[in-house]
Amino acid sequence: MKSRIVVWLFTTAGILALGLGIAGIFLPLLPTTPFVLLASACFIKSNPSLHRWLIAHPVFGPLLENWQERRAISSQVRLRGSVAMIVTFSFSIWMVPYFKVKIGLLLFFIMIFIIFRRIPVYDPVAKSEENH
């Protein structure tokens, strides 16, 4: 049996992650996908009913299904994520006054950008509404 504290911690972390994911829909530099994936993982461990709700959600459900079934993201997610990384790292590198930190940021950016771009892309041919 799971400890109540562990369940509470995972549920709280999932709710916070989901809140950040929702904010990411409206804030261009805050990524939605990683936070929704984190929320899903937390809810799997703590609250199956919240996980089922998240999977059935019209906005987040397809994103989670795509990741769970194919370990892939949509081309739109890839584009938004790439642009957000380029903008935020460029701004950070520009703002930092120390050359060694700039080099460190640049190397870190290159590493995570390559990892991110290697995630497979899956876009369904037609949305379900278009098939009717």
Side-chain angles (χ1 to χ4, degrees):
M1 186 166 122
K2 295 179 188 174
S3 162
R4 283 183 162 179
I5 294 173
V6 172
V7 169
W8 182 84
L9 287 173
F10 274 112
T11 301
T12 302
I15 290 169
L16 289 172
L18 183 59
L20 289 170
I22 291 169
I25 294 171
F26 306 103
L27 301 172
L29 297 180
L30 190 63
T32 299
T33 304
F35 289 118
V36 173
L37 293 174
L38 177 61
S40 175
C42 289
F43 293 152
I44 284 173
K45 295 190 176 291
S46 65
N47 195 324
S49 62
L50 279 175
H51 184 256
R52 283 189 299 275
W53 172 81
L54 198 56
I55 292 292
H57 194 275
V59 173
F60 302 125
L63 182 142
L64 292 169
E65 178 184 333
N66 200 11
W67 181 256
Q68 290 175 348
E69 291 180 6
R70 298 173 194 89
R71 289 290 188 246
I73 56 176
S74 70
S75 57
Q76 182 182 11
V77 167
R78 178 181 269 185
L79 177 63
R80 285 192 336 229
S82 296
V83 169
M85 278 194 260
I86 290 168
V87 169
T88 56
F89 271 94
S90 296
F91 182 74
S92 297
I93 291 168
W94 178 63
M95 289 298 294
V96 169
Y98 305 108
F99 184 73
K100 288 181 182 180
V101 176
K102 289 177 188 264
I103 297 298
L105 283 170
L106 179 62
L107 293 174
F108 185 65
F109 164 73
I110 291 169
M111 181 182 67
I112 64 168
F113 192 75
I114 289 170
I115 291 169
F116 179 72
R117 296 294 297 185
R118 291 187 67 188
I119 296 172
V121 170
Y122 176 80
D123 285 318
V125 175
K127 296 189 187 319
S128 59
E129 307 89 54
E130 296 170 349
N131 292 328
H132 295 284

